[in-house]
Amino acid sequence: MLPDIRFQVSLPTPVAPIRSHVDTRDRAAVEPAYETALLRELELITDAIPADDLSIRWDTAVEFGMIPDLCGWFLDLLTRVGDAVPSDVELGYHLCHGDSGHEHFVEPKDTSHPVAVANALAARLSRPLGWLHLPVPPGRTDVEYFEPLRTLALPPATELYLGLIHSTDGAAGATGRITAALSAVDSSGVATECGFGHRAPATVPALLALHAVVADL
């Protein structure tokens, strides 16, 4: 692959598919088996792709709609699946609030919940944490939304990406969100709020071009 470019594989934690699609009565039996199978898939991926070409991203979105408070078992799960990634493979987390119909499962009042999860992961993981991605809703140009980021306690090598690019308001909207974010934290880079899914393929080239413009900002 090209230097400094990695192939990102995004995986859901066992919570999302099990709690979305398995009857409550059967979850206790199914979830451990699902986790075992998922980690086996992870092993096959990391065996097949050279470590310096690969980035594994654990996606959490459904979880933020289901778990109103910071729960020990949730942090244990995120730590467990993170530590399952070989230490020479880049590890990242997507801490989101969902993107069903471009709407969140729960509208965040600020960044306090993902910051708490991020800080817990940074303290708990036994391997390096490569990067984190945090969402920024389109209407949040207020400094209050970003204020909890002042308490973000990441290792120096961990990169922070803010999902503040929205095709609905382009570079002008992103500029307002960047200005507000910089009142609280420095970011390593920018991204969309929740990836490139749930959109028409024809819109992707313009979205990529918007990334280039906003990155230059």
Side-chain angles (χ1 to χ4, degrees):
M1 294 182 68
L2 296 173
D4 302 322
I5 302 296
R6 291 176 181 263
F7 178 59
Q8 178 179 297
V9 177
S10 300
L11 299 170
T13 76
V15 171
I18 297 301
R19 301 212 170 197
S20 297
H21 302 293
V22 176
D23 189 278
T24 306
R25 296 166 295 182
D26 299 322
R27 289 174 185 169
V30 174
E31 195 164 314
Y34 187 94
E35 181 176 332
T36 298
L38 180 60
L39 294 183
R40 175 56 184 155
E41 291 293 320
L42 171 66
E43 185 178 344
L44 293 173
I45 292 167
T46 56
D47 284 348
I49 303 173
D52 56 0
D53 286 339
L54 180 62
S55 182
I56 295 292
R57 182 180 91 164
W58 289 108
D59 283 357
T60 63
V62 172
E63 294 86 343
F64 279 85
M66 292 178 170
I67 306 166
D69 301 309
L70 199 59
C71 300
W73 69 264
F74 177 46
L75 294 176
D76 288 344
L77 171 64
L78 293 185
T79 304
R80 190 164 63 247
V81 297
D83 281 338
V85 178
S87 59
D88 56 347
V89 174
E90 187 178 69
L91 169 67
Y93 288 86
H94 171 57
L95 306 179
C96 195
H97 293 88
D99 189 33
S100 179
H102 298 297
E103 296 290 338
H104 296 306
F105 300 121
V106 177
E107 283 297 331
K109 66 180 182 64
D110 56 29
T111 52
S112 56
H113 198 179
V115 164
V117 173
N119 286 347
L121 286 171
R124 285 166 166 251
L125 286 167
S126 62
R127 50 139 300 143
L129 175 58
W131 54 273
L132 288 166
H133 173 264
L134 273 61
V136 182
R140 302 310 295 263
T141 57
D142 54 298
V143 296
E144 289 77 14
Y145 180 79
F146 300 95
E147 187 66 22
L149 289 170
R150 292 183 182 276
T151 65
L152 196 61
L154 299 179
T158 300
E159 298 177 339
L160 173 66
Y161 293 90
L162 295 178
L164 49 74
I165 295 177
H166 294 274
S167 59
T168 52
D169 60 9
T175 299
R177 291 183 285 275
I178 289 172
T179 300
L182 290 176
S183 69
V185 70
D186 287 329
S187 174
S188 302
V190 292
T192 58
E193 187 178 27
C194 198
F196 280 49
H198 309 291
R199 66 181 66 249
T203 66
V204 171
L207 187 58
L208 286 170
L210 178 59
H211 274 68
V213 171
V214 176
D216 284 340
L217 296 178

